[in-house]
Amino acid sequence: MHFTRSVLTLASAGLVMSQRPTNMSICDYYTTALLKNNTGANQLAVLTLVVNTAVIGNYTTPNVGIKVDGILAPGMYNGTEVNLLPYFNGDLKSTNRGGNAGVSVNFLDGGGADPLKKNMAANDNTSHQYFLLTHLYEFFGALLGCSQYGMNGFPAYDGQTSMAKVHKFMDLGPNELGYFVQQVAMSAASFGVAKEDLEMVGMALNQLFGLRCSPPAAAVPPTDKELQAICIKDTCPLSPNPVCDQYGAAVAPVPNSTTPATSSGMPQSTSGSMTGSMTNSMTATMTNSMTGPPSAVPTAGAAVHGVSAAALAAAFAALLA
Ligand SMILES: *[C@@H]1O[C@H](CO)[C@@H](O)[C@H](O)[C@H]1NC(C)=O
Ligand SMILES: *[C@@H]1O[C@H](CO)[C@@H](O)[C@H](O)[C@H]1NC(C)=O
Ligand SMILES: *[C@@H]1O[C@H](CO)[C@@H](O)[C@H](O)[C@H]1NC(C)=O
Ligand SMILES: *[C@@H]1O[C@H](CO)[C@@H](O)[C@H](O)[C@H]1NC(C)=O
Ligand SMILES: *[C@@H]1O[C@H](CO)[C@@H](O)[C@H](O)[C@H]1NC(C)=O
Ligand SMILES: *[C@@H]1O[C@H](CO)[C@@H](O)[C@H](O)[C@H]1NC(C)=O
């Protein structure tokens, strides 16, 4: 796409500004730093780059020296192996489509990584992949405070606004959520978002989505307060104001290949796909928390501040503790 070259050229040239003014959102600040013209289209372009990179890993050339593995790649978080792909590709019955159990949905049905590498959401505009990715751009755009959100060039988020509902059948724990947030942060860092801004975003995400049984909260504006916890496993930190009865018990998703028990059996599963859920959730969450100050692109910023990728990763991991 047209905007990509400009973004990359500027980012690689290290043109990210020194420090974000307090009266400028992360979205507006980094859009201006990278693309000069703070239009809705440019804001959406920046969100597209950050989200696509977070999902499939760094793909832009040249890159600014921070390696991003991507949410779809298996990884380690806090010494534990994490693999989110089965939530995205339909291997798990983990997508909430309104029933009593999760269903299998392939969220990589719009061409997979190839269109993402071209800075697109999908090869079409009707696939599950298309809606997941565009929802992510919109959700994070709201969360990061894009001033043109819902206006010219930047469509408003129109997906599910309760991230708890989206992720209801995923049974996600702290390492899964931690890995997801870490990849988003690394992506942002790879485009020059400063460490301070990354930390703000990380804390906001953890507050919104990472506390088990957390009370209703608003994510993407304008919304009524709804349940937002994505981390619902027993191992997730408990909210200081828990409303566990409103969530119900978490149930692990079963593989799509699992055949229902023949004799007594209802299929026991409830899994949704992470792709769908996470996309929706993160978008919403990020919008609220991050509207104000946080920014999400650390690579260039990292270079500017002389912070190494490893240091950024460590800082982020510490935030998630
Ligand atoms: C932010 O503050 C600066 C300095 O106080 C001011 O010049 C600028 O107009 C402000 N920007 C916005 C969007 O309010
Ligand atoms: C910035 O955007 C405005 C409105 O789209 C346009 O008229 C102007 O030419 C753009 N400036 C640059 C430098 O691209
Ligand atoms: C990702 O970033 C790392 C670190 O800069 C780089 O070595 C690698 O070549 C990049 N991968 C791609 C596909 O651009
Ligand atoms: C889930 O399993 C069903 C039944 O075998 C199959 O038709 C469907 O394609 C599978 N879904 C995915 C996303 O692989
Ligand atoms: C979807 O794609 C078709 C075919 O390219 C196009 O005609 C249509 O306008 C697109 N719809 C949206 C909402 O972008
Ligand atoms: C990592 O795991 C240990 C042991 O399970 C736990 O005490 C600690 O809080 C975890 N740290 C993070 C950052 O999740």
Side-chain angles (χ1 to χ4, degrees):
M1 278 187 156
H2 177 68
F3 65 77
T4 304
R5 192 165 301 279
S6 306
V7 170
L8 294 173
T9 302
L10 292 170
S12 61
L15 292 183
V16 170
M17 302 175 252
S18 50
Q19 187 155 17
R20 183 171 55 84
T22 52
N23 64 356
M24 224 175 162
S25 75
I26 287 180
C27 174
D28 286 34
Y29 175 72
Y30 289 99
T31 298
T32 304
L34 294 168
L35 296 175
K36 304 299 180 201
N37 225 356
N38 192 21
T39 60
N42 281 349
Q43 291 176 6
L44 185 57
V46 170
L47 267 295
T48 299
L49 287 170
V50 172
V51 169
N52 285 10
T53 298
V55 171
I56 62 170
N58 62 291
Y59 64 91
T60 54
T61 306
N63 69 67
V64 292
I66 290 184
K67 185 170 185 287
V68 185
D69 292 328
I71 289 156
L72 297 181
M76 295 284 289
Y77 190 82
N78 195 18
T80 303
E81 287 182 16
V82 172
N83 184 14
L84 302 182
L85 181 61
Y87 297 90
F88 288 90
N89 66 6
D91 278 359
L92 285 174
K93 295 182 178 177
S94 56
T95 297
N96 186 1
R97 284 296 190 245
N100 293 325
V103 299
S104 165
V105 175
N106 177 14
F107 287 95
L108 306 177
D109 61 345
D114 286 347
L116 271 63
K117 289 176 183 168
K118 296 172 189 160
N119 307 313
M120 294 159 51
N123 284 330
D124 57 71
N125 57 19
T126 55
S127 59
H128 299 300
Q129 178 173 334
Y130 174 80
F131 289 107
L132 175 64
L133 270 294
T134 53
H135 280 165
L136 283 174
Y137 307 152
E138 293 155 8
F139 194 104
F140 277 93
L143 204 55
L144 296 173
C146 292
S147 58
Q148 297 303 300
Y149 171 82
M151 294 191 267
N152 208 10
F154 203 133
Y157 176 72
D158 64 353
Q160 168 64 252
T161 49
S162 166
M163 287 306 114
K165 275 187 190 166
V166 172
H167 300 84
K168 181 178 180 184
F169 298 123
M170 297 190 187
D171 195 30
L172 299 173
N175 295 324
E176 284 81 16
L177 181 64
Y179 184 70
F180 185 98
V181 174
Q182 183 188 58
Q183 292 305 303
V184 171
M186 292 299 290
S187 172
S190 78
F191 289 101
V193 173
K195 180 169 167 283
E196 296 76 18
D197 291 330
L198 291 178
E199 290 173 350
M200 285 186 67
V201 174
M203 284 188 284
L205 290 177
N206 263 347
Q207 198 68 27
L208 250 179
F209 305 120
L211 301 177
R212 183 165 54 93
C213 299
S214 58
V220 181
T223 53
D224 294 329
K225 292 187 174 184
E226 298 186 82
L227 299 179
Q228 303 293 355
I230 292 173
C231 202
I232 56 175
K233 244 185 177 148
D234 288 350
T235 48
C236 297
L238 186 64
S239 164
N241 306 298
V243 292
C244 296
D245 52 329
Q246 293 185 37
Y247 281 86
V251 180
V254 296
N256 185 40
S257 57
T258 301
T259 51
T262 44
S263 44
S264 66
M266 302 292 296
Q268 33 162 316
S269 76
T270 343
S271 49
S273 75
M274 265 191 135
T275 303
S277 308
M278 281 201 116
T279 300
N280 283 340
S281 322
M282 279 207 105
T283 303
T285 304
M286 278 195 125
T287 301
N288 269 347
S289 337
M290 298 183 150
T291 299
S295 69
V297 184
T299 298
V304 170
H305 293 268
V307 177
S308 74
L312 275 172
F316 220 80
L319 279 174
L320 299 169

